[in-house]
Amino acid sequence: IYGWIPSQMLDDQVPYRDEWTIPVLLWDLQDTSLLLLDRFHQAVSFPEMVLAVQSRAGAATVDFSCNDDMVTLDAADASRATLAALLQT
């Protein structure tokens, strides 16, 4: 998908050319095990899309730290990670 540009974005006469739609693919798994993308991220940003995953694992700690405190994430709610990845796109 890298380099993909919608055909309407190539036409200079389209009135909504300044708008850009970024697809978000969210996998909502019913499994109780923790599943992360790249072993660290709940959502990953690409130039054309955002991939996110959430499961029923509940709170989990990851290898990141902030002020020497372990960072936890809610595996059942990927909205915060998805928004962060969307803003990075």
Side-chain angles (χ1 to χ4, degrees):
I1 296 179
Y2 182 75
W4 173 80
I5 297 176
S7 60
Q8 68 265 23
M9 296 303 288
L10 299 174
D11 187 6
D12 291 336
Q13 304 303 322
V14 176
Y16 51 88
R17 182 176 164 82
D18 294 334
E19 297 176 11
W20 186 262
T21 302
I22 301 170
V24 175
L25 295 158
L26 172 66
W27 285 281
D28 186 9
L29 306 175
Q30 299 299 321
D31 196 6
T32 57
S33 61
L34 179 64
L35 176 69
L36 298 175
L37 303 171
D38 294 343
R39 194 177 155 252
F40 296 109
H41 301 98
Q42 201 171 11
V44 178
S45 142
F46 293 99
E48 300 90 8
M49 71 175 66
V50 171
L51 300 177
V53 64
Q54 63 187 21
S55 66
R56 303 290 176 237
T61 58
V62 291
D63 294 339
F64 299 126
S65 64
C66 180
N67 282 339
D68 295 329
D69 294 329
M70 294 299 294
V71 175
T72 61
L73 61 87
D74 184 13
D77 184 17
S79 59
R80 182 176 182 169
T82 304
L83 180 60
L86 188 61
L87 293 173
Q88 290 178 357
T89 299

